[in-house]
């Protein structure tokens, strides 16, 4: 199916990461893989998959109500290969997307974007669109909590970084600075999320830490 943005540009989904080849039973790699079977058992899943599972965990336990935002699509071409079937051949995004997820948690409005990168040393700022930054600025102006969850896929590391820190990096880029955020900055300023079983990515625990250090806007004192 062909999907286009509101300006007519062709939408291309990010290619999925290929899992590494299964090591042989007697190799050193196989032995090491067995030791880390729990933490790497979910390696093939995308960040979106992990977040959807985590959000379901939060919802079922009445900890939070956070969902992935639906993206409105305008269908422009449909084929009917059979009387009982319809195949969408071409469609447009009606409006530019804002962020991936939003909801409520403990009296806070939550709004965040999830991004993945194969880069091992930095996160390219080109992966974030200006209209997404504008949206998140609006959220923080209304005292909501806006942040990014960034996955360094090749390193299997996940970070929660506040909108404020990303906005500062954007400002420096527009002033002629670097066009990416180094991994070292994530290690110093963001909160790393260790993968678990239930929930898979407990990002709300990281948000609590951001609130504790005053790095996000709060709707009120808790």
């Amino acid at each position: 199916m062909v999907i286009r943005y509101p300006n007519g540009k062709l939408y291309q989904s990010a290619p999925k990461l290929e899992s590494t080849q299964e090591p042989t039973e007697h190799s050193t790699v196989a032995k090491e893989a067995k030791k880390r079977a729990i933490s790497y058992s979910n390696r093939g899943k995308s960040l979106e998959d992990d977040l959807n599972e985590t959000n379901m965990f939060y919802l079922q336990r009445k900890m939070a109500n956070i969902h992935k935002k639906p993206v409105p699509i305008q269908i422009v071409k449909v084929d009917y290969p059979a009387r009982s079937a319809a195949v969408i051949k071409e469609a447009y995004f009606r409006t530019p997307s804002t962020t991936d997820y939003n909801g409520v948690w403990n009296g806070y409005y939550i709004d965040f974007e999830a991004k993945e990168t194969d880069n091992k040393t930095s996160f390219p700022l080109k992966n974030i669109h200006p209209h997404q930054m504008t949206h998140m600025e609006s959220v923080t102006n209304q005292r909501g909590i806006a942040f990014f969850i960034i996955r360094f896929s090749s390193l299997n590391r996940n970070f929660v970084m506040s909108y404020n820190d990303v906005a500062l990096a954007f400002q420096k880029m527009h002033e002629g600075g670097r066009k990416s955020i180094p991994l070292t900055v994530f290690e110093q300023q963001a909160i790393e999320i260790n993968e678990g079983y239930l929930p898979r990515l407990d990002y709300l625990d990281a948000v609590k830490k951001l609130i504790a250090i005053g790095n996000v806007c709060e709707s009120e004192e808790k």
Side-chain angles (χ1 to χ4, degrees):
M1 179 177 69
V2 177
I3 301 179
R4 300 182 184 275
Y5 290 104
N7 62 5
K9 184 178 179 181
L10 183 65
Y11 166 75
Q12 293 181 332
S13 59
K16 291 207 170 190
L17 299 174
E18 297 182 357
S19 58
T20 56
Q21 184 178 0
E22 185 69 22
T24 59
E25 181 65 23
H26 302 291
S27 68
T28 303
V29 177
K31 294 178 182 178
E32 184 66 21
K34 285 184 178 181
K35 293 180 183 178
R36 296 181 291 180
I38 295 177
S39 62
Y40 282 84
S41 62
N42 210 31
R43 191 70 177 267
K45 288 194 174 183
S46 68
L47 176 57
E48 180 179 325
D49 291 333
D50 287 342
L51 289 173
N52 290 342
E53 289 182 11
T54 298
N55 288 337
M56 182 59 66
F57 174 88
Y58 290 153
L59 183 64
Q60 291 175 343
R61 286 155 182 77
K62 299 181 180 180
M63 298 170 61
N65 192 321
I66 301 170
H67 300 276
K68 183 171 176 60
K69 297 178 184 178
V71 180
I73 293 179
Q74 176 68 49
I75 299 172
V76 296
K77 184 178 180 181
V78 181
D79 282 354
Y80 295 90
R83 294 182 64 182
S84 60
V87 179
I88 299 174
K89 290 296 187 178
E90 186 173 355
Y92 285 83
F93 291 116
R94 288 182 179 176
T95 57
S97 62
T98 53
T99 48
D100 289 329
Y101 295 87
N102 71 336
V104 290
W105 161 71
N106 196 31
Y108 295 105
Y109 172 73
I110 300 293
D111 199 301
F112 67 92
E113 176 73 8
K115 296 289 188 183
E116 296 188 63
T117 179
D118 288 330
N119 197 305
K120 295 181 179 180
T121 59
S122 64
F123 174 76
L125 289 172
K126 67 179 181 180
N127 291 354
I128 302 174
H129 302 292
H131 70 267
Q132 292 178 318
M133 295 298 291
T134 300
H135 169 77
M136 298 181 93
E137 180 183 15
S138 176
V139 169
T140 58
N141 287 343
Q142 297 301 320
R143 307 193 68 77
I145 297 178
F147 57 92
F148 291 84
I149 295 182
I150 306 296
R151 168 172 288 177
F152 287 83
S153 301
S154 57
L155 303 177
N156 201 37
R157 299 182 70 181
N158 305 279
F159 295 89
V160 173
M161 177 170 276
S162 73
Y163 159 78
N164 294 334
D165 286 335
V166 176
L168 181 60
F170 251 76
Q171 179 181 342
K172 290 181 178 179
M173 177 183 68
H174 291 310
E175 293 173 351
R178 66 177 298 157
K179 299 179 180 180
S180 63
I181 303 177
L183 175 61
T184 53
V185 172
F186 282 92
E187 294 172 336
Q188 296 166 4
Q189 300 180 10
I191 307 296
E192 186 163 6
I193 316 171
N194 294 319
E195 295 181 358
Y197 178 60
L198 289 174
R200 182 62 185 166
L201 289 175
D202 190 9
Y203 64 87
L204 288 182
D205 186 63
V207 175
K208 291 178 185 177
K209 295 176 182 177
L210 289 178
I211 292 174
I213 62 178
N215 203 12
V216 291
C217 291
E218 300 185 43
S219 57
E220 58 179 278
E221 293 296 326
K222 297 289 179 184

Short mmCIF file of all heavy atoms in Angstrom, two decimals, residues 150-205:
data_model
loop_
_atom_site.label_atom_id
_atom_site.label_comp_id
_atom_site.label_asym_id
_atom_site.label_seq_id
_atom_site.Cartn_x
_atom_site.Cartn_y
_atom_site.Cartn_z
N ILE A 150 14.41 7.03 23.89
CA ILE A 150 15.36 6.77 22.81
C ILE A 150 15.99 5.41 23.01
O ILE A 150 16.51 5.12 24.09
CB ILE A 150 16.46 7.85 22.76
CG1 ILE A 150 15.84 9.25 22.69
CG2 ILE A 150 17.40 7.59 21.59
CD1 ILE A 150 15.05 9.53 21.44
N ARG A 151 15.96 4.60 21.95
CA ARG A 151 16.63 3.29 22.00
C ARG A 151 17.83 3.29 21.07
O ARG A 151 17.70 3.59 19.88
CB ARG A 151 15.67 2.17 21.61
CG ARG A 151 16.36 0.82 21.34
CD ARG A 151 15.37 -0.31 21.15
NE ARG A 151 14.74 -0.67 22.41
CZ ARG A 151 13.80 -1.60 22.53
NH1 ARG A 151 13.37 -2.25 21.45
NH2 ARG A 151 13.28 -1.88 23.71
N PHE A 152 18.99 2.96 21.62
CA PHE A 152 20.18 2.68 20.81
C PHE A 152 20.13 1.18 20.51
O PHE A 152 20.57 0.36 21.32
CB PHE A 152 21.45 3.07 21.57
CG PHE A 152 21.67 4.55 21.66
CD1 PHE A 152 21.04 5.31 22.65
CD2 PHE A 152 22.50 5.22 20.77
CE1 PHE A 152 21.23 6.68 22.74
CE2 PHE A 152 22.71 6.59 20.84
CZ PHE A 152 22.07 7.32 21.84
N SER A 153 19.59 0.84 19.36
CA SER A 153 19.24 -0.55 19.04
C SER A 153 20.45 -1.48 19.05
O SER A 153 20.39 -2.59 19.59
CB SER A 153 18.55 -0.62 17.68
OG SER A 153 17.38 0.16 17.68
N SER A 154 21.54 -1.05 18.45
CA SER A 154 22.71 -1.92 18.37
C SER A 154 23.37 -2.12 19.72
O SER A 154 24.12 -3.09 19.91
CB SER A 154 23.73 -1.33 17.38
OG SER A 154 24.09 -0.02 17.75
N LEU A 155 23.10 -1.23 20.67
CA LEU A 155 23.65 -1.35 22.02
C LEU A 155 22.64 -1.95 23.00
O LEU A 155 23.00 -2.26 24.13
CB LEU A 155 24.10 0.02 22.55
CG LEU A 155 25.13 0.79 21.71
CD1 LEU A 155 25.40 2.15 22.33
CD2 LEU A 155 26.41 -0.01 21.59
N ASN A 156 21.39 -2.07 22.57
CA ASN A 156 20.30 -2.55 23.42
C ASN A 156 20.20 -1.72 24.70
O ASN A 156 20.06 -2.25 25.81
CB ASN A 156 20.49 -4.03 23.76
CG ASN A 156 19.19 -4.68 24.20
OD1 ASN A 156 18.13 -4.37 23.66
ND2 ASN A 156 19.25 -5.58 25.18
N ARG A 157 20.24 -0.38 24.52
CA ARG A 157 20.14 0.55 25.65
C ARG A 157 18.99 1.52 25.39
O ARG A 157 18.80 1.98 24.26
CB ARG A 157 21.45 1.31 25.87
CG ARG A 157 22.63 0.42 26.19
CD ARG A 157 23.89 1.21 26.44
NE ARG A 157 23.82 1.96 27.70
CZ ARG A 157 24.80 2.76 28.16
NH1 ARG A 157 25.91 2.90 27.43
NH2 ARG A 157 24.68 3.41 29.30
N ASN A 158 18.25 1.82 26.45
CA ASN A 158 17.07 2.68 26.35
C ASN A 158 17.17 3.81 27.36
O ASN A 158 17.54 3.59 28.52
CB ASN A 158 15.80 1.87 26.63
CG ASN A 158 15.68 0.65 25.75
OD1 ASN A 158 15.26 0.74 24.60
ND2 ASN A 158 16.05 -0.52 26.27
N PHE A 159 16.80 5.03 26.91
CA PHE A 159 16.90 6.20 27.77
C PHE A 159 15.61 7.02 27.72
O PHE A 159 14.97 7.10 26.68
CB PHE A 159 18.06 7.10 27.33
CG PHE A 159 19.43 6.49 27.47
CD1 PHE A 159 19.98 5.76 26.43
CD2 PHE A 159 20.16 6.64 28.65
CE1 PHE A 159 21.24 5.19 26.55
CE2 PHE A 159 21.43 6.08 28.78
CZ PHE A 159 21.96 5.35 27.72
N VAL A 160 15.27 7.60 28.86
CA VAL A 160 14.21 8.61 28.91
C VAL A 160 14.90 9.96 29.06
O VAL A 160 15.63 10.20 30.02
CB VAL A 160 13.26 8.38 30.10
CG1 VAL A 160 12.29 9.55 30.23
CG2 VAL A 160 12.48 7.10 29.91
N MET A 161 14.67 10.86 28.09
CA MET A 161 15.26 12.20 28.13
C MET A 161 14.14 13.22 28.08
O MET A 161 13.21 13.11 27.27
CB MET A 161 16.23 12.42 26.97
CG MET A 161 16.83 13.82 26.93
SD MET A 161 18.20 14.00 25.73
CE MET A 161 19.59 13.41 26.72
N SER A 162 14.20 14.21 28.94
CA SER A 162 13.15 15.22 29.01
C SER A 162 13.12 16.09 27.76
O SER A 162 14.14 16.25 27.07
CB SER A 162 13.35 16.11 30.24
OG SER A 162 14.45 16.98 30.05
N TYR A 163 11.96 16.65 27.47
CA TYR A 163 11.83 17.58 26.35
C TYR A 163 12.80 18.75 26.54
O TYR A 163 13.40 19.22 25.56
CB TYR A 163 10.39 18.10 26.26
CG TYR A 163 10.30 19.40 25.48
CD1 TYR A 163 10.36 19.41 24.10
CD2 TYR A 163 10.20 20.62 26.16
CE1 TYR A 163 10.32 20.60 23.39
CE2 TYR A 163 10.15 21.81 25.46
CZ TYR A 163 10.21 21.80 24.07
OH TYR A 163 10.18 22.99 23.38
N ASN A 164 12.97 19.22 27.77
CA ASN A 164 13.83 20.37 28.02
C ASN A 164 15.26 20.13 27.53
O ASN A 164 15.87 21.02 26.92
CB ASN A 164 13.86 20.69 29.53
CG ASN A 164 12.52 21.14 30.05
OD1 ASN A 164 11.70 21.69 29.30
ND2 ASN A 164 12.25 20.91 31.33
N ASP A 165 15.79 18.95 27.78
CA ASP A 165 17.15 18.65 27.36
C ASP A 165 17.26 18.54 25.84
O ASP A 165 18.24 19.00 25.24
CB ASP A 165 17.64 17.35 28.01
CG ASP A 165 17.96 17.52 29.48
OD1 ASP A 165 18.27 18.66 29.90
OD2 ASP A 165 17.89 16.53 30.23
N VAL A 166 16.25 17.94 25.21
CA VAL A 166 16.27 17.83 23.75
C VAL A 166 16.10 19.22 23.12
O VAL A 166 16.74 19.53 22.11
CB VAL A 166 15.17 16.87 23.26
CG1 VAL A 166 15.13 16.84 21.73
CG2 VAL A 166 15.40 15.48 23.81
N ALA A 167 15.26 20.05 23.71
CA ALA A 167 15.05 21.41 23.19
C ALA A 167 16.35 22.21 23.25
O ALA A 167 16.65 23.00 22.34
CB ALA A 167 13.96 22.12 23.99
N LEU A 168 17.12 22.00 24.30
CA LEU A 168 18.41 22.69 24.41
C LEU A 168 19.37 22.23 23.31
O LEU A 168 20.08 23.05 22.71
CB LEU A 168 19.03 22.42 25.78
CG LEU A 168 20.37 23.10 26.07
CD1 LEU A 168 20.25 24.62 25.97
CD2 LEU A 168 20.89 22.69 27.45
N ALA A 169 19.35 20.93 23.00
CA ALA A 169 20.20 20.42 21.92
C ALA A 169 19.75 20.98 20.58
O ALA A 169 20.58 21.31 19.72
CB ALA A 169 20.14 18.89 21.91
N PHE A 170 18.43 21.11 20.37
CA PHE A 170 17.90 21.70 19.15
C PHE A 170 18.36 23.15 19.02
O PHE A 170 18.74 23.60 17.93
CB PHE A 170 16.37 21.64 19.16
CG PHE A 170 15.80 20.66 18.18
CD1 PHE A 170 15.83 19.30 18.46
CD2 PHE A 170 15.25 21.08 16.99
CE1 PHE A 170 15.32 18.38 17.56
CE2 PHE A 170 14.72 20.16 16.08
CZ PHE A 170 14.76 18.82 16.37
N GLN A 171 18.30 23.89 20.11
CA GLN A 171 18.71 25.30 20.09
C GLN A 171 20.18 25.43 19.72
O GLN A 171 20.55 26.28 18.89
CB GLN A 171 18.47 25.92 21.47
CG GLN A 171 18.89 27.38 21.55
CD GLN A 171 18.67 27.96 22.94
OE1 GLN A 171 17.92 27.40 23.75
NE2 GLN A 171 19.33 29.07 23.23
N LYS A 172 21.02 24.59 20.29
CA LYS A 172 22.46 24.63 19.98
C LYS A 172 22.71 24.27 18.51
O LYS A 172 23.60 24.84 17.87
CB LYS A 172 23.22 23.67 20.90
CG LYS A 172 23.26 24.14 22.36
CD LYS A 172 24.04 23.15 23.22
CE LYS A 172 24.13 23.64 24.66
NZ LYS A 172 24.86 22.68 25.53
N MET A 173 21.93 23.31 17.99
CA MET A 173 22.07 22.94 16.58
C MET A 173 21.75 24.12 15.67
O MET A 173 22.47 24.40 14.71
CB MET A 173 21.15 21.76 16.25
CG MET A 173 21.19 21.33 14.78
SD MET A 173 20.04 19.98 14.39
CE MET A 173 18.45 20.82 14.60
N HIS A 174 20.66 24.85 15.98
CA HIS A 174 20.27 26.00 15.17
C HIS A 174 21.27 27.15 15.29
O HIS A 174 21.33 28.02 14.42
CB HIS A 174 18.89 26.48 15.56
CG HIS A 174 17.79 25.53 15.18
ND1 HIS A 174 17.67 24.99 13.92
CD2 HIS A 174 16.76 25.00 15.90
CE1 HIS A 174 16.63 24.18 13.87
NE2 HIS A 174 16.07 24.16 15.06
N GLU A 175 22.06 27.13 16.35
CA GLU A 175 23.10 28.15 16.54
C GLU A 175 24.43 27.73 15.94
O GLU A 175 25.44 28.39 16.13
CB GLU A 175 23.27 28.45 18.03
CG GLU A 175 22.05 29.11 18.67
CD GLU A 175 22.17 29.23 20.18
OE1 GLU A 175 23.13 28.63 20.75
OE2 GLU A 175 21.33 29.91 20.79
N GLY A 176 24.42 26.61 15.23
CA GLY A 176 25.63 26.15 14.55
C GLY A 176 26.32 25.00 15.25
O GLY A 176 27.41 24.59 14.82
N GLY A 177 25.72 24.47 16.30
CA GLY A 177 26.32 23.38 17.04
C GLY A 177 26.11 22.03 16.37
O GLY A 177 25.60 21.95 15.24
N ARG A 178 26.45 20.96 17.07
CA ARG A 178 26.36 19.63 16.48
C ARG A 178 24.92 19.23 16.24
O ARG A 178 24.00 19.69 16.92
CB ARG A 178 27.09 18.61 17.35
CG ARG A 178 26.53 18.34 18.71
CD ARG A 178 27.33 17.23 19.41
NE ARG A 178 27.25 15.98 18.65
CZ ARG A 178 28.16 15.00 18.74
NH1 ARG A 178 29.23 15.16 19.50
NH2 ARG A 178 28.01 13.88 18.05
N LYS A 179 24.75 18.32 15.29
CA LYS A 179 23.41 17.92 14.85
C LYS A 179 22.97 16.59 15.46
O LYS A 179 22.11 15.91 14.92
CB LYS A 179 23.38 17.82 13.33
CG LYS A 179 23.69 19.15 12.64
CD LYS A 179 23.67 19.01 11.12
CE LYS A 179 23.98 20.33 10.44
NZ LYS A 179 23.98 20.21 8.96
N SER A 180 23.57 16.26 16.58
CA SER A 180 23.20 15.02 17.25
C SER A 180 23.46 15.16 18.74
O SER A 180 24.16 16.07 19.18
CB SER A 180 23.99 13.83 16.68
OG SER A 180 25.38 14.00 16.93
N ILE A 181 22.87 14.24 19.50
CA ILE A 181 23.11 14.21 20.95
C ILE A 181 24.01 13.02 21.24
O ILE A 181 23.63 11.88 20.98
CB ILE A 181 21.79 14.07 21.73
CG1 ILE A 181 20.82 15.20 21.37
CG2 ILE A 181 22.06 14.06 23.24
CD1 ILE A 181 19.47 15.09 22.05
N PRO A 182 25.21 13.25 21.78
CA PRO A 182 26.14 12.15 22.03
C PRO A 182 25.58 11.17 23.07
O PRO A 182 24.82 11.55 23.97
CB PRO A 182 27.40 12.86 22.57
CG PRO A 182 27.27 14.27 22.12
CD PRO A 182 25.81 14.57 22.09
N LEU A 183 25.98 9.94 22.95
CA LEU A 183 25.59 8.92 23.93
C LEU A 183 26.03 9.33 25.33
O LEU A 183 25.31 9.08 26.31
CB LEU A 183 26.20 7.57 23.55
CG LEU A 183 25.99 6.42 24.54
CD1 LEU A 183 24.51 6.11 24.71
CD2 LEU A 183 26.75 5.18 24.08
N THR A 184 27.18 9.98 25.43
CA THR A 184 27.67 10.41 26.74
C THR A 184 26.72 11.39 27.42
O THR A 184 26.59 11.39 28.65
CB THR A 184 29.06 11.04 26.61
OG1 THR A 184 29.01 12.09 25.63
CG2 THR A 184 30.11 10.02 26.19
N VAL A 185 26.04 12.21 26.62
CA VAL A 185 25.06 13.15 27.18
C VAL A 185 23.85 12.38 27.72
O VAL A 185 23.33 12.70 28.79
CB VAL A 185 24.61 14.18 26.12
CG1 VAL A 185 23.46 15.03 26.65
CG2 VAL A 185 25.79 15.07 25.74
N PHE A 186 23.43 11.35 27.00
CA PHE A 186 22.34 10.51 27.51
C PHE A 186 22.75 9.87 28.84
O PHE A 186 21.96 9.82 29.78
CB PHE A 186 21.99 9.42 26.49
CG PHE A 186 21.15 9.89 25.35
CD1 PHE A 186 21.72 10.33 24.18
CD2 PHE A 186 19.76 9.90 25.46
CE1 PHE A 186 20.94 10.77 23.11
CE2 PHE A 186 18.97 10.33 24.41
CZ PHE A 186 19.55 10.78 23.23
N GLU A 187 23.98 9.40 28.89
CA GLU A 187 24.45 8.75 30.11
C GLU A 187 24.52 9.71 31.29
O GLU A 187 24.33 9.32 32.44
CB GLU A 187 25.82 8.11 29.86
CG GLU A 187 25.78 6.96 28.86
CD GLU A 187 27.15 6.47 28.47
OE1 GLU A 187 28.13 7.26 28.56
OE2 GLU A 187 27.27 5.31 28.04
N GLN A 188 24.77 10.99 31.01
CA GLN A 188 24.90 11.99 32.07
C GLN A 188 23.58 12.66 32.44
O GLN A 188 23.33 12.95 33.62
CB GLN A 188 25.91 13.07 31.64
CG GLN A 188 27.32 12.55 31.45
CD GLN A 188 28.21 13.54 30.71
OE1 GLN A 188 27.79 14.66 30.39
NE2 GLN A 188 29.43 13.13 30.41
N GLN A 189 22.71 12.90 31.46
CA GLN A 189 21.51 13.71 31.70
C GLN A 189 20.20 12.95 31.64
O GLN A 189 19.21 13.37 32.24
CB GLN A 189 21.47 14.86 30.68
CG GLN A 189 22.67 15.80 30.76
CD GLN A 189 22.58 16.92 29.74
OE1 GLN A 189 21.56 17.13 29.09
NE2 GLN A 189 23.67 17.66 29.59
N ALA A 190 20.15 11.84 30.92
CA ALA A 190 18.91 11.09 30.79
C ALA A 190 18.87 9.98 31.85
O ALA A 190 19.81 9.77 32.60
CB ALA A 190 18.81 10.49 29.39
N ILE A 191 17.72 9.30 31.90
CA ILE A 191 17.56 8.18 32.82
C ILE A 191 17.52 6.90 31.99
O ILE A 191 16.68 6.75 31.10
CB ILE A 191 16.24 8.30 33.62
CG1 ILE A 191 16.16 9.66 34.32
CG2 ILE A 191 16.14 7.15 34.62
CD1 ILE A 191 17.21 9.89 35.37
N GLU A 192 18.44 5.99 32.24
CA GLU A 192 18.47 4.74 31.49
C GLU A 192 17.44 3.77 32.06
O GLU A 192 17.26 3.66 33.28
CB GLU A 192 19.86 4.11 31.52
CG GLU A 192 19.97 2.89 30.63
CD GLU A 192 21.40 2.47 30.32
OE1 GLU A 192 22.34 3.07 30.90
OE2 GLU A 192 21.58 1.55 29.49
N ILE A 193 16.74 3.08 31.15
CA ILE A 193 15.74 2.09 31.55
C ILE A 193 16.33 0.69 31.33
O ILE A 193 16.71 0.35 30.22
CB ILE A 193 14.46 2.19 30.71
CG1 ILE A 193 14.01 3.63 30.53
CG2 ILE A 193 13.34 1.36 31.33
CD1 ILE A 193 12.87 3.79 29.54
N ASN A 194 16.39 -0.08 32.40
CA ASN A 194 16.83 -1.47 32.27
C ASN A 194 15.64 -2.33 31.88
O ASN A 194 14.58 -2.26 32.49
CB ASN A 194 17.43 -1.96 33.59
CG ASN A 194 18.71 -1.22 33.94
OD1 ASN A 194 19.54 -0.95 33.07
ND2 ASN A 194 18.86 -0.87 35.20
N GLU A 195 15.81 -3.14 30.84
CA GLU A 195 14.73 -4.00 30.39
C GLU A 195 14.42 -5.07 31.43
O GLU A 195 15.31 -5.59 32.09
CB GLU A 195 15.10 -4.65 29.06
CG GLU A 195 15.25 -3.65 27.92
CD GLU A 195 15.59 -4.30 26.61
OE1 GLU A 195 15.76 -5.54 26.59
OE2 GLU A 195 15.69 -3.59 25.60
N GLY A 196 13.13 -5.36 31.56
CA GLY A 196 12.69 -6.38 32.51
C GLY A 196 11.66 -7.29 31.88
O GLY A 196 11.46 -7.29 30.67
N TYR A 197 10.99 -8.05 32.72
CA TYR A 197 9.96 -8.97 32.23
C TYR A 197 8.58 -8.31 32.29
O TYR A 197 7.92 -8.14 31.28
CB TYR A 197 9.99 -10.26 33.04
CG TYR A 197 8.91 -11.25 32.64
CD1 TYR A 197 8.85 -11.75 31.34
CD2 TYR A 197 7.96 -11.68 33.55
CE1 TYR A 197 7.87 -12.65 30.96
CE2 TYR A 197 6.97 -12.58 33.18
CZ TYR A 197 6.92 -13.06 31.89
OH TYR A 197 5.94 -13.94 31.52
N LEU A 198 8.13 -7.93 33.47
CA LEU A 198 6.87 -7.21 33.65
C LEU A 198 7.09 -6.07 34.64
O LEU A 198 7.33 -6.34 35.82
CB LEU A 198 5.77 -8.15 34.16
CG LEU A 198 5.22 -9.18 33.18
CD1 LEU A 198 4.25 -10.12 33.89
CD2 LEU A 198 4.52 -8.50 32.01
N PRO A 199 7.01 -4.83 34.17
CA PRO A 199 6.82 -4.41 32.78
C PRO A 199 8.12 -4.51 31.99
O PRO A 199 9.20 -4.58 32.58
CB PRO A 199 6.39 -2.95 32.92
CG PRO A 199 7.09 -2.49 34.17
CD PRO A 199 7.08 -3.68 35.09
N ARG A 200 8.01 -4.52 30.68
CA ARG A 200 9.18 -4.66 29.82
C ARG A 200 10.10 -3.46 29.95
O ARG A 200 11.31 -3.60 30.11
CB ARG A 200 8.72 -4.86 28.37
CG ARG A 200 9.85 -5.06 27.37
CD ARG A 200 10.64 -6.30 27.66
NE ARG A 200 11.78 -6.43 26.76
CZ ARG A 200 12.79 -7.26 26.96
NH1 ARG A 200 12.79 -8.06 28.00
NH2 ARG A 200 13.77 -7.34 26.10
N LEU A 201 9.53 -2.26 29.85
CA LEU A 201 10.30 -1.01 29.98
C LEU A 201 9.57 -0.11 30.97
O LEU A 201 8.63 0.58 30.59
CB LEU A 201 10.43 -0.30 28.62
CG LEU A 201 11.33 -0.94 27.57
CD1 LEU A 201 11.22 -0.16 26.26
CD2 LEU A 201 12.78 -0.98 28.03
N ASP A 202 9.99 -0.11 32.20
CA ASP A 202 9.31 0.66 33.24
C ASP A 202 9.72 2.13 33.16
O ASP A 202 10.44 2.64 33.99
CB ASP A 202 9.62 0.09 34.61
CG ASP A 202 8.73 0.69 35.70
OD1 ASP A 202 7.77 1.41 35.36
OD2 ASP A 202 9.02 0.43 36.89
N TYR A 203 9.20 2.80 32.12
CA TYR A 203 9.62 4.18 31.89
C TYR A 203 9.00 5.15 32.90
O TYR A 203 9.54 6.25 33.13
CB TYR A 203 9.29 4.62 30.46
CG TYR A 203 7.83 4.65 30.11
CD1 TYR A 203 7.04 5.77 30.36
CD2 TYR A 203 7.23 3.56 29.48
CE1 TYR A 203 5.69 5.79 30.00
CE2 TYR A 203 5.89 3.58 29.12
CZ TYR A 203 5.13 4.70 29.39
OH TYR A 203 3.80 4.74 29.05
N LEU A 204 7.88 4.79 33.54
CA LEU A 204 7.29 5.68 34.53
C LEU A 204 8.19 5.86 35.74
O LEU A 204 8.21 6.91 36.37
CB LEU A 204 5.91 5.17 34.97
CG LEU A 204 4.80 5.30 33.92
CD1 LEU A 204 3.48 4.82 34.50
CD2 LEU A 204 4.67 6.74 33.43
N ASP A 205 8.96 4.82 36.06
CA ASP A 205 9.93 4.96 37.15
C ASP A 205 10.98 5.99 36.79
O ASP A 205 11.42 6.78 37.65
CB ASP A 205 10.59 3.60 37.42
CG ASP A 205 11.52 3.64 38.63
OD1 ASP A 205 11.01 3.89 39.75
OD2 ASP A 205 12.73 3.42 38.46
#
